[in-house]
Amino acid sequence: MVRDGFEELVALHDRSSGLRAFLAIHDTSRGPAFGGLRRFAYRDEKSALMDCLRLAKAMSMKCALAGVNGGGAKLVLFDHPGLDRAAAYRSIGRSIERLAGRYYAGPDVGTGTAELSNVAFETKYVTHPGPAGPGDLPGATAAGVFAGMRAALVHLDGEEAWEDRTVVIQGLGSVGQRLAVRLIGLGARVSGVDLDEATCDRARGLGVEILESGSELDKAADIFCPCAMGGLLHDLTIQRIAARAVCGAANNPLARSHHAERLHARGILYVPDFVINSGAVIRGAGFHLDGRATPLDEIEARIGEVTTDVLRKAAEEAIPPFVLAKRVAEQRIRVARNAADSERQSALGAGDAPRERATAGDELTTESTSS
Ligand code: NAD
């Protein structure tokens, strides 16, 4: 927590529903924290906690790069056969309500309309899945990832030329499938894999060539698009990638940060997840903070512009785009933190009337910090 600047970590347990969960709030100095609810059959507490922390920090970075006045958080809950799902999500809703707007929850792996409806029974600080909410969030994510792909192709070849492109998608769920439809509509050849048979059948019906599971990395393509789970890019998989660029929705696809260097060394353009998969948080935050769900074309334009900028500047410095984007995001978070700290300190100073204000500035700083 200290190293990465986390503000809060809460462990939740609800006896009657069997809920066990972690909530991490990374940073709120730019505004309230946004982050999805992930339900997953984690191997153990440590892996759940690490996933929670990494995802919460990635949300802060997404917000910082996308210019969202918010920060990052994540809630992960253990899926297990004894979990009373409806009751567990209502219990989560009560916990979120107690935070009084410091954290807004949204969808993620394992949490869709039914689960969010249960949360919404207990709190308004959740992205409502129905007509009262901001609308199609996976569509917003897909729009941003598409903008990232476009920027990557223009960066590599100076043009999009979709009719000559091949894209391989890993994970043909909500986001992957929307991307496939868009790309096929533009004339690209799209192939992909999914662990779920019915999902594969649906994608095949849309014109996706279904590959043998496990062969997606080896297929020559312009873009490999990870839209399943994180952590798939590591020492063993990176050497197999036959695509020219990696650009997808999956959060934290790099097993470790240094794998960005490995991709770079292999001449594969890796477009960082947190630069391009912020469509849903842009739309959701717009809805909650400004009363207006950000339109898809605005999301596409904003993410396209940021990606183009990141790729260009990284090329100028001859460093991986991941390194540059992380540096920019962390710098923006740091600046917001410093501003928030100064504001807090001047508020304390103002409240403490003439005596403190008459003393030296350093003294005031020391007192405020230790209080
Ligand atoms: P989803 O659950 O709808 O789809 C994921 C699909 O991946 C499922 O169909 C699943 O069967 C498949 N899958 C899982 N493991 C796989 C594997 N090893 N190989 C092949 N297929 C596999 O999820 P989604 O909403 O489409 O999100 C996809 C990814 O994008 C997730 O990592 C999510 O965290 C990330 N993301 C989503 C959004 C959003 O708005 N939905 C926003 C930001 C990031």
mmCIF file of all heavy atoms in Angstrom, residues 12-13 17 23 27 55 60 65 72 118 146 149 167 185 277-279 293 305 327 332 347 370:
data_model
loop_
_atom_site.group_PDB
_atom_site.id
_atom_site.type_symbol
_atom_site.label_atom_id
_atom_site.label_comp_id
_atom_site.label_asym_id
_atom_site.label_seq_id
_atom_site.Cartn_x
_atom_site.Cartn_y
_atom_site.Cartn_z
ATOM 1 N N LEU A 12 -14.131 -7.644 3.536
ATOM 2 C CA LEU A 12 -15.550 -7.781 3.875
ATOM 3 C C LEU A 12 -15.888 -9.245 4.122
ATOM 4 O O LEU A 12 -15.434 -10.125 3.392
ATOM 5 C CB LEU A 12 -16.426 -7.269 2.719
ATOM 6 C CG LEU A 12 -16.231 -5.824 2.278
ATOM 7 C CD1 LEU A 12 -17.032 -5.545 1.021
ATOM 8 C CD2 LEU A 12 -16.647 -4.874 3.385
ATOM 9 N N HIS A 13 -16.702 -9.466 5.132
ATOM 10 C CA HIS A 13 -17.188 -10.824 5.398
ATOM 11 C C HIS A 13 -18.642 -10.722 5.844
ATOM 12 O O HIS A 13 -18.967 -9.920 6.726
ATOM 13 C CB HIS A 13 -16.339 -11.490 6.487
ATOM 14 C CG HIS A 13 -16.896 -12.810 6.914
ATOM 15 N ND1 HIS A 13 -17.065 -13.164 8.228
ATOM 16 C CD2 HIS A 13 -17.341 -13.859 6.184
ATOM 17 C CE1 HIS A 13 -17.583 -14.378 8.296
ATOM 18 N NE2 HIS A 13 -17.766 -14.819 7.070
ATOM 19 N N SER A 17 -24.536 -14.634 3.861
ATOM 20 C CA SER A 17 -24.492 -14.867 2.404
ATOM 21 C C SER A 17 -23.237 -15.633 1.984
ATOM 22 O O SER A 17 -23.141 -16.105 0.857
ATOM 23 C CB SER A 17 -24.522 -13.529 1.666
ATOM 24 O OG SER A 17 -23.371 -12.770 1.983
ATOM 25 N N LEU A 23 -11.961 -4.801 -0.851
ATOM 26 C CA LEU A 23 -12.175 -3.541 -1.575
ATOM 27 C C LEU A 23 -10.924 -2.697 -1.401
ATOM 28 O O LEU A 23 -10.512 -2.419 -0.268
ATOM 29 C CB LEU A 23 -13.390 -2.793 -1.002
ATOM 30 C CG LEU A 23 -13.517 -1.320 -1.402
ATOM 31 C CD1 LEU A 23 -13.741 -1.165 -2.905
ATOM 32 C CD2 LEU A 23 -14.663 -0.641 -0.654
ATOM 33 N N ASP A 27 -6.827 5.738 -5.070
ATOM 34 C CA ASP A 27 -6.578 7.179 -4.991
ATOM 35 C C ASP A 27 -7.855 7.971 -5.245
ATOM 36 O O ASP A 27 -8.583 7.678 -6.180
ATOM 37 C CB ASP A 27 -5.537 7.573 -6.041
ATOM 38 C CG ASP A 27 -5.058 8.987 -5.824
ATOM 39 O OD1 ASP A 27 -4.147 9.175 -5.009
ATOM 40 O OD2 ASP A 27 -5.630 9.920 -6.426
ATOM 41 N N LEU A 55 -5.735 -4.086 -9.992
ATOM 42 C CA LEU A 55 -6.843 -3.554 -10.785
ATOM 43 C C LEU A 55 -7.243 -2.157 -10.308
ATOM 44 O O LEU A 55 -7.583 -1.284 -11.112
ATOM 45 C CB LEU A 55 -8.045 -4.502 -10.713
ATOM 46 C CG LEU A 55 -7.865 -5.824 -11.470
ATOM 47 C CD1 LEU A 55 -8.881 -6.866 -11.017
ATOM 48 C CD2 LEU A 55 -7.976 -5.611 -12.981
ATOM 49 N N SER A 60 -6.965 3.971 -11.485
ATOM 50 C CA SER A 60 -6.472 5.349 -11.272
ATOM 51 C C SER A 60 -5.707 5.825 -12.499
ATOM 52 O O SER A 60 -5.835 6.979 -12.924
ATOM 53 C CB SER A 60 -5.516 5.411 -10.077
ATOM 54 O OG SER A 60 -6.201 5.228 -8.881
ATOM 55 N N LEU A 65 -5.159 9.242 -17.339
ATOM 56 C CA LEU A 65 -4.828 9.424 -18.759
ATOM 57 C C LEU A 65 -6.023 9.906 -19.570
ATOM 58 O O LEU A 65 -5.871 10.636 -20.543
ATOM 59 C CB LEU A 65 -4.318 8.110 -19.350
ATOM 60 C CG LEU A 65 -2.872 7.770 -19.012
ATOM 61 C CD1 LEU A 65 -2.497 6.421 -19.567
ATOM 62 C CD2 LEU A 65 -1.914 8.824 -19.554
ATOM 63 N N GLY A 72 -9.098 5.469 -8.772
ATOM 64 C CA GLY A 72 -9.301 4.046 -8.996
ATOM 65 C C GLY A 72 -9.610 3.259 -7.743
ATOM 66 O O GLY A 72 -9.121 3.569 -6.654
ATOM 67 N N ASN A 118 -28.889 -5.988 -7.679
ATOM 68 C CA ASN A 118 -28.910 -6.250 -6.237
ATOM 69 C C ASN A 118 -28.138 -5.190 -5.469
ATOM 70 O O ASN A 118 -28.557 -4.754 -4.399
ATOM 71 C CB ASN A 118 -28.353 -7.645 -5.937
ATOM 72 C CG ASN A 118 -29.405 -8.712 -6.195
ATOM 73 O OD1 ASN A 118 -30.506 -8.648 -5.646
ATOM 74 N ND2 ASN A 118 -29.098 -9.670 -7.052
ATOM 75 N N PHE A 146 -11.184 0.062 -30.044
ATOM 76 C CA PHE A 146 -11.144 0.238 -31.501
ATOM 77 C C PHE A 146 -10.310 1.478 -31.855
ATOM 78 O O PHE A 146 -9.473 1.449 -32.766
ATOM 79 C CB PHE A 146 -12.561 0.360 -32.073
ATOM 80 C CG PHE A 146 -12.565 0.652 -33.537
ATOM 81 C CD1 PHE A 146 -12.285 -0.352 -34.463
ATOM 82 C CD2 PHE A 146 -12.787 1.935 -34.009
ATOM 83 C CE1 PHE A 146 -12.228 -0.083 -35.822
ATOM 84 C CE2 PHE A 146 -12.733 2.216 -35.366
ATOM 85 C CZ PHE A 146 -12.459 1.209 -36.271
ATOM 86 N N MET A 149 -6.747 0.598 -31.637
ATOM 87 C CA MET A 149 -6.282 -0.210 -32.777
ATOM 88 C C MET A 149 -6.002 0.680 -33.980
ATOM 89 O O MET A 149 -5.007 0.531 -34.675
ATOM 90 C CB MET A 149 -7.374 -1.208 -33.199
ATOM 91 C CG MET A 149 -7.551 -2.356 -32.250
ATOM 92 S SD MET A 149 -8.795 -3.483 -32.947
ATOM 93 C CE MET A 149 -8.757 -4.768 -31.717
ATOM 94 N N VAL A 167 -7.241 -9.571 -37.485
ATOM 95 C CA VAL A 167 -7.247 -9.350 -36.034
ATOM 96 C C VAL A 167 -7.632 -10.660 -35.347
ATOM 97 O O VAL A 167 -8.577 -11.330 -35.764
ATOM 98 C CB VAL A 167 -8.260 -8.233 -35.647
ATOM 99 C CG1 VAL A 167 -8.266 -8.022 -34.137
ATOM 100 C CG2 VAL A 167 -7.928 -6.918 -36.359
ATOM 101 N N GLY A 185 -17.444 -5.441 -39.988
ATOM 102 C CA GLY A 185 -18.198 -4.433 -40.749
ATOM 103 C C GLY A 185 -17.280 -3.571 -41.613
ATOM 104 O O GLY A 185 -17.681 -3.064 -42.661
ATOM 105 N N ASN A 277 -8.608 1.030 -22.577
ATOM 106 C CA ASN A 277 -9.833 0.363 -22.104
ATOM 107 C C ASN A 277 -10.607 1.199 -21.079
ATOM 108 O O ASN A 277 -11.332 0.665 -20.247
ATOM 109 C CB ASN A 277 -9.536 -1.060 -21.596
ATOM 110 C CG ASN A 277 -8.786 -1.078 -20.276
ATOM 111 O OD1 ASN A 277 -8.517 -0.037 -19.681
ATOM 112 N ND2 ASN A 277 -8.446 -2.270 -19.806
ATOM 113 N N SER A 278 -10.493 2.514 -21.207
ATOM 114 C CA SER A 278 -11.150 3.404 -20.246
ATOM 115 C C SER A 278 -12.529 3.875 -20.712
ATOM 116 O O SER A 278 -13.144 4.727 -20.059
ATOM 117 C CB SER A 278 -10.251 4.621 -19.984
ATOM 118 O OG SER A 278 -9.837 5.192 -21.213
ATOM 119 N N GLY A 279 -13.029 3.329 -21.822
ATOM 120 C CA GLY A 279 -14.324 3.797 -22.348
ATOM 121 C C GLY A 279 -15.442 3.719 -21.319
ATOM 122 O O GLY A 279 -16.230 4.664 -21.168
ATOM 123 N N ALA A 293 -24.046 10.703 -19.798
ATOM 124 C CA ALA A 293 -23.228 9.563 -20.226
ATOM 125 C C ALA A 293 -22.458 9.991 -21.475
ATOM 126 O O ALA A 293 -23.063 10.359 -22.488
ATOM 127 C CB ALA A 293 -24.111 8.366 -20.536
ATOM 128 N N GLU A 305 -6.964 10.083 -29.570
ATOM 129 C CA GLU A 305 -5.993 11.181 -29.457
ATOM 130 C C GLU A 305 -4.895 10.843 -28.442
ATOM 131 O O GLU A 305 -3.699 11.012 -28.714
ATOM 132 C CB GLU A 305 -6.752 12.408 -28.944
ATOM 133 C CG GLU A 305 -6.328 13.716 -29.538
ATOM 134 C CD GLU A 305 -7.318 14.788 -29.098
ATOM 135 O OE1 GLU A 305 -8.395 14.926 -29.729
ATOM 136 O OE2 GLU A 305 -7.009 15.455 -28.097
ATOM 137 N N ARG A 327 4.431 6.480 -16.766
ATOM 138 C CA ARG A 327 5.097 7.659 -16.212
ATOM 139 C C ARG A 327 4.147 8.863 -16.198
ATOM 140 O O ARG A 327 4.024 9.559 -15.196
ATOM 141 C CB ARG A 327 6.336 7.954 -17.069
ATOM 142 C CG ARG A 327 7.289 8.938 -16.454
ATOM 143 C CD ARG A 327 8.528 9.077 -17.322
ATOM 144 N NE ARG A 327 8.245 9.836 -18.534
ATOM 145 C CZ ARG A 327 9.003 9.813 -19.631
ATOM 146 N NH1 ARG A 327 10.076 9.031 -19.675
ATOM 147 N NH2 ARG A 327 8.703 10.538 -20.677
ATOM 148 N N ARG A 332 0.585 12.508 -13.162
ATOM 149 C CA ARG A 332 -0.683 13.245 -12.973
ATOM 150 C C ARG A 332 -1.300 12.933 -11.611
ATOM 151 O O ARG A 332 -1.855 13.810 -10.955
ATOM 152 C CB ARG A 332 -1.681 12.870 -14.079
ATOM 153 C CG ARG A 332 -1.286 13.478 -15.397
ATOM 154 C CD ARG A 332 -2.359 13.302 -16.439
ATOM 155 N NE ARG A 332 -1.860 13.762 -17.719
ATOM 156 C CZ ARG A 332 -2.433 13.533 -18.870
ATOM 157 N NH1 ARG A 332 -3.555 12.841 -18.917
ATOM 158 N NH2 ARG A 332 -1.917 13.995 -19.988
ATOM 159 N N ALA A 347 -6.664 24.283 4.564
ATOM 160 C CA ALA A 347 -7.962 24.282 5.255
ATOM 161 C C ALA A 347 -7.745 24.158 6.757
ATOM 162 O O ALA A 347 -8.380 24.857 7.546
ATOM 163 C CB ALA A 347 -8.816 23.132 4.754
ATOM 164 N N SER A 370 1.106 15.968 11.179
ATOM 165 C CA SER A 370 1.054 14.994 12.261
ATOM 166 C C SER A 370 -0.337 14.890 12.864
ATOM 167 O O SER A 370 -0.603 14.006 13.637
ATOM 168 C CB SER A 370 2.058 15.372 13.334
ATOM 169 O OG SER A 370 1.709 16.646 13.834
#
